[in-house]
Amino acid sequence: MKRSNRTTRATPRRSPAIALAALVVFLGVVLVAQLTPGRDPLAAPSPSTGAASTGAVDEFAFVRRDQDDPMALGSVAAPVVLVQWTDMRCPYCAVFNRDTLPVLTKDYVDTGKVRIEIHDVAYFGEQSEGAAVAARAAGRQGKFFEYLRAVYAFAPEHKHPDLPREKLIAFARKADVADINRFTADLDDPRLRAEVQDNTTSAQQLGVSSVPFFVAGKTALSGAQPLDVFRAFLDDALTKAR
């Protein structure tokens, strides 16, 4: 689904068939970018800048591997980076973050096998954008993932949550953000909003039209798939990274 000048809605997807379709679209966009002179660096592999000290090479340039990245979990030297595109108002993003992410964190991140990096998008209106800004504001105080957990813990089933400003501030308290006054001021920081908007545009240019969406190595997966699917997805990426 493509967005016009105003934000439109992308339908969350869960079925393996749609996951395959998303994979084809994503890899098609990347392949075209690789073969086109003057290609978009967001879509191209970056052997020289995207590689970690482990010797990992030929990663996509959207893999950050930044030691000080507040929107990432795990070692920068992990052999595999799992990149997740997420929208704070996406019900299936909430399912993944509530039910699957804690297990993957314990079994893959804490063991040094996988690093997880978040790319935020705003596909479900102005409140999605505001919530992404709020998560980044919490990240400035080292509470990005705590903020995500607070928001997703209260997400309704199969519905987009209502996230007005007062709720965003309440979630900051639930996430134990230390300086609420600073957090509130950061909600109005135009730099944070521009970062969210740029991330959303970049995701659309890559062909990421629904969330949650994931890339590990050179393989993509769409939707809040069962835990066993994610295990197989990451195990395959780890095997190929050896």
Side-chain angles (χ1 to χ4, degrees):
M1 179 179 297
K2 296 183 179 179
R3 198 176 67 166
S4 64
N5 291 333
R6 61 186 182 85
T7 304
T8 58
R9 297 191 172 191
T11 304
R13 300 174 179 179
R14 303 183 69 182
S15 73
I18 297 179
L20 177 60
L23 169 60
V24 171
V25 171
F26 177 82
L27 293 182
V29 170
V30 171
L31 180 60
V32 170
Q34 289 174 331
L35 297 177
T36 303
R39 60 187 180 271
D40 180 356
L42 287 166
S46 180
S48 59
T49 61
S53 58
T54 56
V57 295
D58 203 31
E59 289 185 327
F60 292 121
F62 51 70
V63 175
R64 299 186 295 259
R65 289 193 184 269
D66 179 355
Q67 182 68 51
D68 300 319
D69 189 347
M71 298 168 64
L73 291 173
S75 171
V76 293
V80 168
V81 176
L82 174 66
V83 180
Q84 177 194 356
W85 283 265
T86 192
D87 186 305
M88 302 292 288
R89 297 185 69 224
C90 164
Y92 294 126
C93 297
V95 170
F96 170 80
N97 278 267
R98 284 197 308 257
D99 301 343
T100 306
L101 181 59
V103 180
L104 298 184
T105 300
K106 178 183 176 182
D107 293 349
Y108 290 90
V109 177
D110 293 347
T111 56
K113 298 176 183 177
V114 173
R115 174 177 171 86
I116 297 176
E117 297 182 352
I118 304 299
H119 287 248
D120 47 11
V121 297
Y123 283 171
F124 300 108
E126 291 296 326
Q127 287 192 351
S128 285
E129 189 170 290
V133 169
R136 285 175 176 262
R140 284 181 169 178
Q141 300 188 49
K143 295 290 185 178
F144 179 82
F145 284 92
E146 289 84 353
Y147 194 85
L148 259 61
R149 284 196 290 271
V151 173
Y152 286 136
F154 290 90
E157 293 292 329
H158 310 301
K159 291 174 58 179
H160 304 301
D162 186 32
L163 297 176
R165 185 182 181 92
E166 57 270 21
K167 281 191 178 181
L168 298 179
I169 296 172
F171 283 128
R173 294 191 172 94
K174 290 183 182 295
D176 293 325
V177 174
D179 190 337
I180 296 297
N181 289 334
R182 176 188 171 192
F183 171 85
T184 303
D186 283 342
L187 292 180
D188 299 316
D189 188 335
R191 292 172 296 179
L192 291 184
R193 191 164 296 273
E195 288 170 2
V196 174
Q197 292 170 346
D198 289 346
N199 246 21
T200 301
T201 299
S202 297
Q204 291 173 324
Q205 290 173 345
L206 287 171
V208 179
S209 60
S210 65
V211 286
F213 193 86
F214 307 87
V215 170
K218 292 299 178 66
T219 307
L221 182 70
S222 178
Q225 304 292 338
L227 177 60
D228 287 347
V229 173
F230 276 98
R231 288 190 186 278
F233 180 56
L234 292 177
D235 289 344
D236 179 66
L238 286 165
T239 298
K240 292 175 180 176
R242 290 173 186 163

